[in-house]
Amino acid sequence: MKNPLLRPWLTEKSTKLTEQKGQYVFQVKMDADKFDIKKAVEEKFGVDVVSIRTINCLGKSKRQYTRKGLIAGKKSDWKKAIVTLGDGQTIDYYAKPAEKSEK
């Protein structure tokens, strides 16, 4: 898989996880597995990943009443990953990504 990371998921709850437990939350592609996510985080940010938890978030169904009747729709499903790093390691979202090593 190319890069399963879509964006960091920055909310009050995810910020609290970062400050208290050293865990970071990312929105990832639906077909991403834990091994792909671990490899992508380690390569992009240059950190050691201890564990990963993934959550499939189901999109909400929406209804709108109009003059022509009821319009029903659904938001897209999405997936998030909670990444736990080793002791003393952090991720700076706004810094330049880690340099790739030459092989």
Side-chain angles (χ1 to χ4, degrees):
M1 173 175 285
K2 220 159 174 160
N3 187 4
L5 302 177
L6 297 175
R7 64 185 61 87
W9 193 252
L10 300 174
T11 61
E12 289 181 20
K13 187 174 182 178
S14 67
T15 305
K16 187 176 179 181
L17 281 174
T18 300
E19 292 171 354
Q20 292 180 350
K21 298 183 179 181
Q23 296 176 336
Y24 294 85
V25 183
F26 295 94
Q27 184 176 359
V28 296
K29 295 179 181 175
M30 285 295 291
D31 57 346
D33 60 0
K34 292 183 181 186
F35 301 109
D36 293 334
I37 297 167
K38 179 178 179 177
K39 183 178 175 186
V41 170
E42 287 178 346
E43 286 179 3
K44 185 168 185 176
F45 298 107
V47 294
D48 295 324
V49 175
V50 175
S51 69
I52 295 177
R53 294 183 294 159
T54 57
I55 300 134
N56 289 318
C57 302
L58 301 178
K60 295 181 179 179
S61 59
K62 299 286 185 177
R63 290 181 182 81
Q64 182 177 7
Y65 295 97
T66 65
R67 288 183 180 178
K68 296 183 179 184
L70 179 68
I71 297 175
K74 182 179 178 294
K75 288 191 173 186
S76 300
D77 297 341
W78 58 284
K79 187 175 191 175
K80 69 179 172 181
I82 300 174
V83 178
T84 305
L85 301 181
D87 291 335
Q89 294 186 338
T90 60
I91 291 177
D92 186 9
Y93 296 121
Y94 305 108
K96 185 177 177 183
E99 296 292 326
K100 294 182 181 177
S101 61
E102 296 287 328
K103 289 187 179 181

